[in-house]
Amino acid sequence: MSNPQSISTAVAKLYNTYPFPPEPLLDEPPPGYNWRWNWLTAYSFCTGQKPARRDVRILDAGCGTGVGTEYLAHLNPEATVVGIDLSSGALAVAQERCQKSGASNVAFYHLSLFDVKQLPGEFDLINCVGVLHHTPDPILGIQALAKKLAPGGLLHVFVYGELGRWEIKLMQEAIALLQGDRRGDYTDGVAVGRQLFATLPKNNRLRKREEERWAWENQRDGYFADMYVHPQEIDYNIHTVFDLIDASGLDFVGFSNPQVWSAERLIGKDPELMERAQRLGDRQRHRLIELLDPQAITHYEFFLARHPLSTQDWESDQELLAAIPEPSPCIQGWQDSPQFFNVDYQITRLEDAAWQFLLGCQENPTAQKTVAEILETVDASLEDVRSLHHQQLILLTPTP
Ligand SMILES: C[S@@+](CC[C@H](N)C(=O)[O-])C[C@H]1O[C@@H](n2cnc3c(N)ncnc32)[C@H](O)[C@@H]1O
């Protein structure tokens, strides 16, 4: 099946049968946050500073049943959000999901991302999660999206990684072989796949990886189908993912799961190895990390930017002292205790001085207190402020 039209038809059929993600609909805004879907925190991660505007245009390209779109709408109430998808079945769920939870700043269109030029105007933030690798031509797809990005805009992409998914790939092929001419019948594929996992020996590598890593979410057929009976999936490694990025014509800003890409977590206890790793170029160091920890690389998620994107590193004490700090909107419980949920929903604990600083900026941005003014009232240092910023716990607005 190499014809782009027949691939798209097969993909739409899969998601009409199993709209994805198969998450329940709620009568209220979804709980919690994901900082990658909040314009303020995403922009701050990419540039070091809070954006000047909130009334931005956001596109969720390949929105599926709208789980991400709903967050984009609620986390960015001043933005206008547009969701597009190939599958009318998935879109119907997305529409109902947003209506039920009261997200009124969103509109959906039955449109392929290859035809995104049909939408009017440009977007400040484009989210394209779990989609490009299911298209017949991801390079053409990313180029189509890049053309719709406003100058200074951000594109967030998530595509699959081959190293952490090789067992899945083998299982997909095995299921397809056993399906024979019933390939393309996705309910049959799910039945065959489930039967296979139940039958394989307990210590079989494919079965073990499924049970250890994926089985919890794969209890729902929608997740299982998306993983094992997909008609189109292109998996990447560092070399090919940067081919995709380079072809977009956009600037690579960084991975949006930076902890995974730290050599420190793998070889940090040997300073000489660390020094050798530091001497590598960025892409070589990324390759080293995925070679050393292949099972962690099930996907690549990253931000790209359209030039010009003005950034701030806050190395100048003077500029940092004059900045207006405020707590990130994507942290929880920090008002009550120095131990709270950070932007990745992990529990973090701050030293008292850093926590006092965080509390000191809670009246901002309304109060417009500068870093210097807050430091006069608490026992924190500029390094504490830089560390809070580095951990994405505060946003900083430069003063003109
Ligand atoms: C795995 S789902 C991801 C849904 C959503 N982005 C999320 O992360 O929850 C992939 C979605 O991409 C859609 N899709 C695939 N190819 C597409 C295309 N060319 N244009 C628009 N949507 C597409 C599918 O219909 C499906 O709903």
Side-chain angles (χ1 to χ4, degrees):
M1 184 182 26
S2 51
N3 167 342
Q5 192 48 50
S6 56
I7 292 176
S8 295
T9 305
V11 170
K13 182 181 168 197
L14 169 72
Y15 290 112
N16 285 335
T17 313
Y18 292 110
F20 186 95
E23 292 296 323
L25 279 56
L26 305 171
D27 286 327
E28 56 190 5
Y33 46 78
N34 177 331
W35 67 266
R36 298 157 191 84
W37 292 331
N38 185 313
W39 167 245
L40 301 185
T41 44
Y43 190 89
S44 174
F45 174 80
C46 292
T47 65
Q49 56 196 339
K50 191 182 157 190
R53 293 171 42 230
R54 290 165 181 250
D55 58 339
V56 288
R57 296 190 75 219
I58 300 176
L59 172 67
D60 196 10
C63 60
T65 64
V67 169
T69 332
E70 184 185 42
Y71 273 99
L72 286 164
H74 283 287
L75 294 176
N76 303 287
E78 291 170 48
T80 357
V81 181
V82 172
I84 60 170
D85 204 280
L86 263 192
S87 155
S88 53
L91 278 173
V93 179
Q95 190 115 36
E96 195 189 344
R97 184 189 301 286
C98 286
Q99 255 159 19
K100 265 177 101 79
S101 73
S104 52
N105 53 340
V106 55
F108 292 99
Y109 300 97
H110 189 198
L111 190 72
S112 166
L113 61 84
F114 293 102
D115 299 321
V116 67
K117 62 174 179 297
Q118 292 178 19
L119 294 175
E122 293 174 325
F123 294 90
D124 304 285
L125 174 64
I126 300 180
N127 185 55
C128 188
V129 168
V131 183
L132 286 169
H133 50 231
H134 292 318
T135 68
D137 192 336
I139 286 189
L140 267 187
I142 204 168
Q143 288 172 340
L145 293 176
K147 285 194 194 118
K148 292 302 281 182
L149 203 57
L154 303 174
L155 168 59
H156 186 231
V157 173
F158 171 118
V159 288
Y160 285 151
E162 65 187 21
L163 295 172
R165 290 179 64 89
W166 67 263
E167 296 97 335
I168 294 171
K169 272 287 200 191
L170 300 190
M171 193 61 171
Q172 288 172 349
E173 198 178 330
I175 293 171
L177 277 174
L178 290 174
Q179 277 198 278
D181 58 12
R182 292 194 68 184
R183 204 178 167 201
D185 175 341
Y186 300 116
T187 44
D188 178 67
V190 168
V192 170
R194 292 213 182 276
Q195 209 175 332
L196 251 183
F197 276 125
T199 310
L200 284 169
K202 279 203 166 24
N203 64 352
N204 171 274
R205 172 68 196 233
L206 273 52
R207 178 170 172 172
K208 274 174 76 176
R209 177 73 164 158
E210 163 64 17
E211 286 172 356
E212 285 162 13
R213 178 69 176 79
W214 309 111
W216 192 81
E217 64 185 28
N218 281 346
Q219 289 172 55
R220 291 192 190 152
D221 284 350
Y223 282 105
F224 191 94
D226 184 61
M227 184 163 285
Y228 290 113
V229 298
H230 213 292
Q232 173 73 355
E233 178 177 318
I234 298 169
D235 293 347
Y236 290 86
N237 58 46
I238 275 292
H239 302 304
T240 54
V241 88
F242 274 100
D243 288 344
L244 178 72
I245 289 168
D246 292 341
S248 74
L250 301 173
D251 297 332
F252 178 71
V253 180
F255 290 110
S256 59
N257 55 348
Q259 8 11 286
V260 169
W261 298 100
S262 134
E264 179 88 28
R265 76 182 173 86
L266 296 167
I267 54 172
K269 66 180 184 204
D270 186 321
E272 196 205 317
L273 287 178
M274 276 300 286
E275 203 190 307
R276 284 174 187 260
Q278 296 309 344
R279 272 188 249 131
L280 297 174
D282 286 348
R283 294 185 188 188
Q284 285 177 312
R285 199 169 43 258
H286 299 326
R287 179 64 178 161
L288 176 73
I289 290 164
E290 72 173 10
L291 291 172
L292 295 175
D293 195 11
Q295 69 173 9
I297 312 300
T298 54
H299 72 269
Y300 301 90
E301 52 170 277
F302 49 86
F303 281 105
L304 306 179
R306 171 127 179 234
H307 197 73
L309 187 71
S310 96
T311 59
Q312 174 53 275
D313 61 16
W314 302 108
E315 272 174 22
S316 147
D317 287 357
Q318 220 179 356
E319 284 173 0
L320 182 55
L321 284 164
I324 311 287
E326 66 188 274
S328 163
C330 293
I331 55 179
Q332 204 171 65
W334 54 275
Q335 296 94 333
D336 308 319
S337 154
Q339 185 168 303
F340 57 90
F341 288 110
N342 70 11
V343 289
D344 293 316
Y345 244 102
Q346 304 292 316
I347 292 193
T348 191
R349 191 186 176 87
L350 291 180
E351 295 293 325
D352 192 56
W355 186 47
Q356 292 304 329
F357 184 89
L358 189 60
L359 293 175
C361 60
Q362 65 182 314
E363 307 299 328
N364 277 347
T366 314
Q368 289 287 295
K369 283 191 198 162
T370 63
V371 168
E373 285 165 341
I374 296 169
L375 286 180
E376 276 168 23
T377 63
V378 299
D379 197 20
S381 67
L382 272 183
E383 280 323 299
D384 290 326
V385 180
R386 288 195 174 97
S387 167
L388 286 168
H389 185 246
H390 182 70
Q391 296 173 70
Q392 299 176 255
L393 301 176
I394 56 170
L395 307 179
L396 290 168
T397 304
T399 43

